[in-house]
Amino acid sequence: MSQTLKEQRRRERLREYEAELVSARSALEVLALFVHAREARSRGESLEEAFAATPVGDTDANPPFPAAVWVTLRQGDIDVTMHLLVEQSSTDFVIAAHEQLDVGYRLTTVEENRALPDVARLQAQLASFLHVPADVVAVIASWGPDDPRTSAEIDALLEQRFGTATIRATWPPARPEQASTPPAPAPDPGTGLTMSADEFGALLNLSPDQHNVLATLVRQTAIVINAH
């Protein structure tokens, strides 16, 4: 194979690898919805510890993912989740290969590999922890987080197993300051005239008593003077 063809093949494999990562991110976003839905039905349990203690098959070959994976999914931090999965991955994606002589002057094949996040293994662990069949979790993950069926099916599955949610699970999760304090509505300059009580009193040449009444009204409510 010529060098040009090798480079072209390597670029194609890199594109395939990136496509695998995009697919993994989509699946992880769905798994985060499962985590949020389970957290919404929590009764004070330490869910991340229970998740980390959930074995899947041969624990020597496939040790359970740690509690940190549950926590990052709960926070909606897919980048860190991907990093954790890649760190513990046993799945390699071959980008390219070339032959070279080893120390014994034997021709050997050297591969350029990149680790893939082991999403299937995580799905199996999560399915076992949630008492949902693994193939069902895999199918829902294939739908993606934006499919209207996804959230509805997750809620239905977990309601059967853990009851009604006590809090509303959302995706992506709201930041703490967003959840506690709703943002103030932006002023709409087209709705009318906005003035201070002093400015309005001076404009109408109000008496001191009338100005006091206006000031009281402004403290109690917002006054908007419309054009019509």
Side-chain angles (χ1 to χ4, degrees):
M1 183 183 296
S2 69
Q3 187 64 28
T4 301
L5 288 176
K6 288 181 179 179
E7 292 175 355
Q8 179 181 349
R9 179 56 179 160
R10 184 177 185 278
R11 288 194 295 269
E12 290 173 354
R13 291 292 288 171
L14 283 172
R15 285 194 292 269
E16 292 172 11
Y17 176 74
E18 292 298 327
E20 291 281 351
L21 294 183
V22 170
S23 177
R25 289 186 66 89
S26 176
L28 289 178
E29 289 179 2
V30 174
L31 299 188
L33 287 174
F34 273 101
V35 170
H36 295 160
R38 180 63 184 93
E39 288 282 350
R41 294 163 173 82
S42 173
R43 300 297 186 271
E45 310 101 312
S46 180
L47 296 177
E48 61 273 14
E49 293 182 8
F51 165 77
T54 303
V56 180
D58 184 356
T59 55
D60 291 331
N62 298 300
F65 285 105
V69 172
W70 181 276
V71 171
T72 56
L73 288 173
R74 181 171 64 201
Q75 295 297 323
D77 196 336
I78 303 302
D79 289 334
V80 176
T81 306
M82 290 272 285
H83 176 73
L84 292 171
L85 265 60
V86 166
E87 273 190 334
Q88 302 188 37
S89 175
S90 58
T91 305
D92 288 332
F93 188 92
V94 179
I95 301 295
H98 66 274
E99 293 183 337
Q100 68 179 34
L101 294 175
D102 62 14
V103 293
Y105 298 100
R106 290 169 300 201
L107 197 62
T108 59
T109 299
V110 178
E111 294 181 339
E112 177 188 353
N113 296 322
R114 297 195 182 181
L116 280 172
D118 199 343
V119 176
R121 179 175 142 213
L122 177 58
Q123 288 176 173
Q125 183 176 341
L126 190 65
S128 179
F129 177 62
L130 298 176
H131 311 297
V132 176
D135 59 337
V136 173
V137 173
V139 167
I140 296 174
S142 72
W143 293 344
D146 298 324
D147 191 304
R149 298 171 296 176
T150 300
S151 292
E153 188 62 34
I154 290 172
D155 281 337
L157 287 168
L158 296 196
E159 186 164 346
Q160 293 169 2
R161 291 157 175 80
F162 306 104
T164 304
T166 56
I167 60 174
R168 184 172 178 267
T170 59
W171 176 262
R175 296 192 300 271
E177 63 270 20
Q178 290 177 321
S180 59
T181 306
D188 183 359
T191 57
L193 175 66
T194 302
M195 301 178 69
S196 69
D198 290 338
E199 290 172 336
F200 192 58
L203 177 66
L204 298 182
N205 195 23
L206 299 178
S207 68
D209 289 340
Q210 291 171 323
H211 189 280
N212 290 337
V213 172
L214 176 63
T216 301
L217 290 173
V218 171
R219 283 196 299 271
Q220 298 298 324
T221 185
I223 298 176
V224 177
I225 302 173
N226 293 314
H228 302 287

